[in-house]
């Protein structure tokens, strides 16, 4: 039920009761019945809550102890290196405290979705032989003030007790989507979020070097600019590691990792696939390998071939083929439109068009696939003008 409708209901019911009483109707039985229904709802909600917590507990147990190693993460060489260096603080804690260096309490992983932030946190737990406890920012969002803060307390308690039980010296708490609870506090209505964030800050302040198990918080977000400065100040999340979209080399190594358990035809060149999958994240590359294996199965074959990978790239890029019925006139218009893009692209960059398709996929009725581009981080004015011309080529057609 949306929040506003709950609030409307809370306001409407007393008014209705007063109105009925005013009309001379005996409202006592209504109130008793409502109280009984309310009590029943509270009991079911609590049971649901327990079930949800049990679910979360189960999920955490499934998450840890983390077995994933840094070698199982493709690309991201810089991020992995930075993270390993930061984690050495946790491992070499005695040396660090001897020199009076304060413990590292929080590491913030930032970057686009699906680039491997969760994998990094798991690998960090493996590298430091820590217990791994994971939660997502959205798990702390509740309508009732104090519930989120309570969950933060439980999370830290859970990490400590599990580390003691499993006889480990440290625990890593991973909070995904930290921006949900760690957004800037600007006063106003967000009181529940404020309490949750305050609790998180308090728990972080309570982490000491001397204490065992030692706790390290790793958080992930793709909206760092939205975070409250209190979270980012020295002594809290003061290590920021950028987990970027993989470059061609990174894409190739991610594809290799996900190809390990799949039967690939010996002719397949993963370097070429990595080139074709320009701009794909790790999660998308995993999906490409998975979809290619599905296409292979559909063809009743036992080895993934080049065309399966090409179809998988199209699917991940554009979406599944749709069975949208288009009439002749529409097909003609789509063909002219796509050819407009293609002719313009060929005029400006000869040999750049690899495929023109009129099969509807996802939201598109047709599309032009361009040959793999070089990794490019800076664009020239000429390049951007060419892009605009190619885009307008469709309309001209
Ligand atoms: P989000 O921000 O959406 O939570 P994320 O950055 O945490 O995403 P992960 O959950 O770590 O992304 O990755 C999702 C999946 O994508 C992984 O389970 C894995 O299969 C694949 N993946 C992503 N990046 C890599 C990588 N660098 N190497 C190998 N697999 C990867």
């Amino acid at each position: 039920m949306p929040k506003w409708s709950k609030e409307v209901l809370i306001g409407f019911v007393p008014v209705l009761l007063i109105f009925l009483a005013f009309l001379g109707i005996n409202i006592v039985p209504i109130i008793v019945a409502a109280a009984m229904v309310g009590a029943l709802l509270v009991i079911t909600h609590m049971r649901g809550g327990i079930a949800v917590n049990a679910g979360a507990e189960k999920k955490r147990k499934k998450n840890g102890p983390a077995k994933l190693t840094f070698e199982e993460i493709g690309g991201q060489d810089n991020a992995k290196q930075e993270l390993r260096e930061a984690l050495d603080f946790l491992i070499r804690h005695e040396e660090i405290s001897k020199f009076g260096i304060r413990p590292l309490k929080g590491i913030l992983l930032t970057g686009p979705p699906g680039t491997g932030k969760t994998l990094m946190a798991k690998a960090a737990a493996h590298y430091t032989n820590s217990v791994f406890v994971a939660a997502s920012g959205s798990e702390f969002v509740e309508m009732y003030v104090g519930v989120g803060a309570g969950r933060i307390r439980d999370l830290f308690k859970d990490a400590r007790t599990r580390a003691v039980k499993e006889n480990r010296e440290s625990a890593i708490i991973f909070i995904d989507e930290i921006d949900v609870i760690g957004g800037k506090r600007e006063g106003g209505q967000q009181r529940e979020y404020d309490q949750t964030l305050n609790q998180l800050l308090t728990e972080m302040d309570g982490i000491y070097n001397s204490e065992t198990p030692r706790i390290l918080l790793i958080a992930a977000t793709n909206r760092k600019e939205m975070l409250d400065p209190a979270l980012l100040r020295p002594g809290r999340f003061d290590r920021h590691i950028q987990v970027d979209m993989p470059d061609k080399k990174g894409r190739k190594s991610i594809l290799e990792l996900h190809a390990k358990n799949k039967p690939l035809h010996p002719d397949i060149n993963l370097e070429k696939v990595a080139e074709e999958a320009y701009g794909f994240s790790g999660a998308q590359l995993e999906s490409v390998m998975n979809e290619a294996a599905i296409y292979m199965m559909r063809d009743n074959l036992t080895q993934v071939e080049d065309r399966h990978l090409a179809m998988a790239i199209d699917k991940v890029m554009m979406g599944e083929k749709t069975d949208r019925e288009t009439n002749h006139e529409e097909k003609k218009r789509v063909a002219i439109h796509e050819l407009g893009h293609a002719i313009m692209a060929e005029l400006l960059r000869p040999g750049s068009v690899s495929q023109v398709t009129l099969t509807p996929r996802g939201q598109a009725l047709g599309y032009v696939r361009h040959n793999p581009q070089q990794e490019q981080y800076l664009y020239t004015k000429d390049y951007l003008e060419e892009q605009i011309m190619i885009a307008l080529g469709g309309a001209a057609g």
Side-chain angles (χ1 to χ4, degrees):
M1 192 191 280
K3 276 183 193 169
W4 63 266
S5 54
K6 256 189 197 170
E7 277 144 22
V8 168
L9 206 71
I10 290 168
F12 176 71
V13 171
V15 173
L16 182 74
L17 288 177
I18 293 168
F19 180 65
L20 290 176
F22 182 70
L23 291 180
I25 296 170
N26 183 7
I27 58 166
V28 177
I30 303 177
I31 293 176
V32 173
M36 281 168 70
V37 172
L40 219 81
L41 280 176
V42 168
I43 291 169
T44 3
H45 183 75
M46 276 169 67
R47 287 211 170 154
I50 290 165
V52 168
N53 280 343
E57 177 72 6
K58 226 165 145 186
K59 195 173 92 197
R60 274 178 215 145
K61 286 212 172 118
K62 208 177 90 199
N63 279 338
K67 294 257 165 53
L68 197 109
T69 64
F70 280 118
E71 283 67 48
E72 290 165 69
I73 304 175
Q76 307 297 358
D77 294 340
N78 283 343
K80 284 198 280 190
Q81 180 61 20
E82 267 190 68
L83 186 56
R84 270 202 214 106
E85 277 170 18
L87 292 171
D88 286 340
F89 274 69
L90 197 68
I91 299 170
R92 295 161 60 196
H93 60 98
E94 274 168 12
E95 230 174 292
I96 282 160
S97 58
K98 214 162 57 195
F99 295 134
I101 300 172
R102 63 173 161 74
L104 182 66
K105 296 181 180 179
I107 299 176
L108 185 70
L109 303 176
T110 56
T115 42
K117 298 184 288 297
T118 310
L119 298 183
M120 295 271 225
K122 286 187 181 172
H126 185 268
Y127 183 74
T128 53
N129 192 25
S130 306
V131 160
F132 182 69
V133 180
S136 167
S138 47
E139 281 175 40
F140 302 102
V141 177
E142 278 290 336
M143 189 186 170
Y144 304 103
V145 177
V147 177
R151 288 204 184 138
I152 291 277
R153 261 194 305 273
D154 289 347
L155 188 68
F156 278 76
K157 214 164 92 190
D158 185 27
R160 287 193 172 96
T161 42
R162 273 191 48 203
V164 171
K165 216 154 85 188
E166 292 178 26
N167 215 3
R168 286 170 201 248
E169 287 194 353
S170 52
I172 287 188
I173 300 178
F174 175 61
I175 305 183
D176 204 357
E177 300 173 39
I178 185 91
D179 44 283
V180 176
I181 50 167
K184 287 194 180 98
R185 292 169 291 183
E186 285 156 352
Q189 299 293 309
Q190 306 291 349
R191 288 206 36 112
E192 159 58 3
Y193 288 19
D194 286 4
Q195 286 212 8
T196 312
L197 178 55
N198 287 343
Q199 187 61 40
L200 180 65
L201 300 177
T202 313
E203 292 287 350
M204 285 187 91
D205 290 343
I207 298 175
Y208 299 105
N209 216 0
S210 51
E211 145 194 284
T212 313
R214 285 177 305 284
I215 304 279
L216 174 70
L217 221 76
I218 300 186
T221 181
N222 39 35
R223 290 184 291 178
K224 184 171 132 188
E225 66 292 344
M226 288 193 46
L227 294 182
D228 196 284
L231 262 181
L232 303 177
R233 79 147 167 79
R236 301 233 173 93
F237 286 102
D238 49 6
R239 288 282 156 138
H240 301 173
I241 297 177
Q242 182 72 25
V243 188
D244 270 325
M245 291 296 247
D247 57 8
K248 188 175 134 195
K249 196 168 138 243
R251 291 198 295 276
K252 183 171 171 247
S253 77
I254 296 172
L255 285 168
E256 278 165 357
L257 281 171
H258 292 288
K260 264 188 190 157
N261 58 355
K262 298 185 181 67
L264 295 197
H265 193 279
D267 287 350
I268 282 181
N269 179 356
L270 285 182
E271 183 149 352
K272 203 175 133 257
V273 182
E275 228 169 70
E276 297 260 336
Y278 177 82
F280 278 28
S281 68
Q284 284 173 314
L285 293 167
E286 188 273 338
S287 178
V288 165
M289 288 314 291
N290 198 49
E291 293 297 332
I294 295 173
Y295 283 127
M296 171 204 78
M297 265 187 74
R298 277 193 204 159
D299 283 354
N300 277 327
L301 293 173
T302 50
Q303 281 187 323
V304 176
E305 295 179 4
D306 259 335
R307 64 198 163 94
H308 299 136
L309 281 160
M311 286 196 291
I313 291 180
D314 277 351
K315 180 172 175 195
V316 174
M317 199 186 290
M318 309 291 298
E320 184 60 286
K321 271 186 195 161
T322 53
D323 43 14
R324 229 177 263 152
E325 279 287 318
T326 43
N327 59 33
H328 181 72
E329 171 57 24
E330 269 177 342
K331 266 196 194 128
K332 198 171 138 196
R333 280 173 55 196
V334 174
I336 294 172
H337 174 90
E338 297 305 338
L339 282 174
H341 289 305
I343 292 169
M344 208 60 203
E346 279 294 316
L347 277 175
L348 295 167
R349 300 179 195 139
S352 67
V353 175
S354 88
Q355 192 185 12
V356 183
T357 312
L358 300 182
T359 323
R361 259 183 197 279
Q363 293 298 308
L365 291 174
Y367 61 94
V368 179
R369 206 160 104 195
H370 298 271
N371 276 327
Q373 304 162 38
Q374 294 293 324
E375 305 293 330
Q376 206 170 341
Y377 301 102
L378 287 176
Y379 297 100
T380 60
K381 185 168 166 258
D382 284 349
Y383 177 87
L384 291 173
E385 277 172 2
E386 281 172 16
Q387 285 299 100
I388 295 171
M389 284 188 246
I390 294 171
L392 292 178

